[in-house]
Amino acid sequence: MNILFIHQNFPGQFKHLAPALATKGHKVVSLTLRVKEPAKWKGVELIPYTIKRQPSTGLHPWLVDFESKLLRAESCYSAAMKLKKRGFSPDVIVAHPGWGESMFLRDLWPEARIGLFCELYYDSINGEAGFDPEFPQHAPDEEPIRLRLKNLSNFMHLEVGNLGISPTEFQANTYPASVRDRISVIHDGIDTEVFCPNSDASIKLETGEVLTREDEVITFVNRNFEPYRGYHVFMRALPRLLKERPDARILMVGGDGVSYGARPAKGQTWKQIFIDEVRGRIPTKDWQRVHFLGRIPYETYLSMMQISRAHVYLTYPFVLSWSLIEAMAIGAPIVASDTPPVTEVISHGDTGRLFPFFDQDRMVDEICTVLSDSDMRDALATSSRKVAISRYDLKDVCLPKQLEWIDRLAEMQPGKFS
């Protein structure tokens, strides 16, 4: 088959599926902003597209988000037209509609089967909007309207897609009931042979110190340090946590930018805002046990997780991070917020320890409980790795299901999602 992937930051969630399809002999092409020149990656032909025009000025604020998606859709459509003129006609299109890029591809290739990566349908009641009272919406009375318009691209894609795929039940269930039965829940997959325990793991800090599994290491990982992933809650817990655990080393991985939600005031970062808030309550000798590692190489990240005695994960009711399943596969004892979709994978007392998202004292209690009980840590590690292997293993579980999903998609008649 000819298979076209659409993702502005390809491969994204398709980093295993696209190469696997190429390996099976399909012609696999991707339209993406990721590259500036045509290239090959693991058998996939990468075709760049560029944004054709700048956003408008003075646009109604409710339309700004949709216009950004429309600009991507226009630009991707233009690149797709050139691809069609070269003679390429996809049997299957697999798209992440979150950025709007694939909005008009049904018009260009009406016979193609379109599969959608259904990451999230925005909900003003049960989702992340309004979840954190510390960061209220700018205009809460207008928030349902803003989110309805934010879903406009989602809705337009549902009108032209054939099948959907979503990594968790929580994420799939955010979509309208009318299309839910067309969405398969299949996780992106974790390579549990790579993400596995290693008793010999170690990590060298910038200070020259080497930490191993003999050290009391607490880990916290965000793509970027920000409220959506509970950075503020974790930071506010540090004064007590460092006092309670005088030998603990806190290893924090993440960037200074924003992946989700609003940016802080101009010139500030969420990272520094909450460092400034708590630093005065932490003695220097204790602060020296807190290590912001930034964004680190893959191998370093893996080793860090393999020496973790307690991995702390928080999230709003939102998209689940790969890092949580990776930590489970490694056997790092999990202490996590009692929020969906976390509760879909973590069962309190079995695969981890849960606490209410905003209860930083309860979080510290749970971390201390895990750190003080080696038998508990071993039991949590064994149980969580077992779940990671049985439900989220890339090679034996997720990738075969993804390939089966592609086969079902290819057998469908082109047409609307529902």
Side-chain angles (χ1 to χ4, degrees), residues 3 9 38 59 85 114 129 199 217 231 234 241 248 250-251 253 282 285 306 344 358 370 376 411 413 416:
I3 303 175
N9 194 34
L59 193 67
K85 289 177 180 178
I114 298 180
S199 59
V217 174
Y231 170 69
F234 185 74
L241 180 58
I250 316 294
L251 303 186
V253 170
I282 301 175
K285 63 180 179 62
Q306 288 169 332
E344 192 173 317
F358 300 104
V370 169
M376 175 186 288
E411 292 171 358
Q413 293 296 319
K416 292 184 178 181

Side-chain angles (χ1 to χ4, degrees), residues 64-361:
V64 169
D65 178 78
F66 183 69
E67 188 197 29
S68 70
K69 293 178 171 61
L70 183 61
L71 293 176
R72 289 190 181 93
E74 175 192 28
S75 302
C76 188
Y77 182 82
S78 177
M81 285 179 49
K82 294 178 182 177
L83 196 56
K84 183 176 183 178
K85 289 177 180 178
R86 283 172 38 189
F88 182 78
S89 179
D91 301 291
V92 166
I93 298 172
V94 182
H96 189 318
W99 294 276
E101 300 159 294
S102 46
M103 200 182 303
F104 306 129
L105 296 191
R106 169 67 74 203
D107 301 279
L108 188 61
W109 287 300
E111 297 304 312
R113 284 71 174 162
I114 298 180
L116 302 174
F117 185 87
C118 297
E119 187 166 33
L120 196 72
Y121 202 88
Y122 295 94
D123 185 344
S124 62
I125 299 174
N126 299 312
E128 81 281 7
F131 173 76
D132 193 336
E134 184 174 348
F135 305 101
Q137 303 300 324
H138 175 67
D141 292 341
E142 298 173 355
E143 188 64 7
I145 299 170
R146 186 186 71 84
L147 290 180
R148 185 184 297 274
L149 288 169
K150 192 175 179 68
N151 273 329
L152 189 54
S153 174
N154 262 333
F155 180 78
M156 292 180 69
H157 276 89
L158 295 180
E159 285 291 291
V160 299
N162 295 95
L163 280 181
I165 187 171
S166 190
T168 68
E169 293 284 349
F170 167 76
Q171 289 166 256
N173 289 340
T174 63
Y175 281 78
S178 59
V179 299
R180 175 62 184 86
D181 64 347
R182 305 293 294 278
I183 302 174
S184 299
V185 176
I186 306 171
H187 194 266
D188 310 331
I190 301 299
D191 191 336
T192 61
E193 293 179 2
V194 173
F195 288 94
C196 63
N198 179 6
S199 59
D200 297 324
S202 65
I203 180 173
K204 187 174 183 179
L205 303 177
E206 289 185 355
T207 61
E209 296 175 272
V210 176
L211 300 180
T212 70
R213 290 178 61 86
E214 298 300 315
D215 297 291
E216 189 170 277
V217 174
I218 301 168
T219 52
F220 182 83
V221 175
N222 286 178
R223 182 186 302 173
N224 284 295
F225 295 125
E226 56 189 325
Y228 259 63
R229 297 306 195 194
Y231 170 69
H232 56 318
V233 178
F234 185 74
M235 288 299 292
R236 287 166 176 165
L238 279 183
R240 182 186 162 210
L241 180 58
L242 290 164
K243 183 178 181 180
E244 295 274 350
R245 307 302 301 186
D247 296 323
R249 309 300 286 267
I250 316 294
L251 303 186
M252 303 182 65
V253 170
D256 296 351
V258 172
S259 299
Y260 315 107
R263 295 182 178 275
K266 187 175 181 180
Q268 294 183 297
T269 65
W270 292 121
K271 174 185 173 182
Q272 194 60 46
I273 286 171
F274 293 106
I275 288 177
D276 293 342
E277 179 179 320
V278 304
R279 181 63 183 87
R281 294 186 286 123
I282 301 175
T284 298
K285 63 180 179 62
D286 287 342
W287 184 249
Q288 291 172 347
R289 295 187 282 122
V290 180
H291 306 276
F292 285 89
L293 305 183
R295 290 179 173 167
I296 57 179
Y298 177 89
E299 295 79 7
T300 306
Y301 164 69
L302 180 60
S303 295
M304 180 193 75
M305 298 302 294
Q306 288 169 332
I307 67 171
S308 177
R309 287 195 189 179
H311 178 66
V312 183
Y313 178 79
L314 298 95
T315 184
Y316 288 6
F318 194 58
V319 174
L320 189 70
S321 305
W322 287 337
S323 64
L324 178 61
I325 312 298
E326 290 169 349
M328 293 173 66
I330 285 170
I334 309 295
V335 179
S337 61
D338 188 2
T339 47
V342 176
T343 53
E344 192 173 317
V345 297
I346 299 294
S347 175
H348 183 68
D350 181 19
T351 51
R353 306 288 296 185
L354 298 174
F355 61 91
F357 182 93
F358 300 104
D359 193 339
Q360 61 201 48
D361 282 327

Side-chain angles (χ1 to χ4, degrees), residues 4 7 24 30 80 94 114 200 204 280 378 380:
L4 176 64
H7 195 302
K24 289 173 71 69
S30 172
V94 182
I114 298 180
D200 297 324
K204 187 174 183 179
D378 290 344
L380 293 176

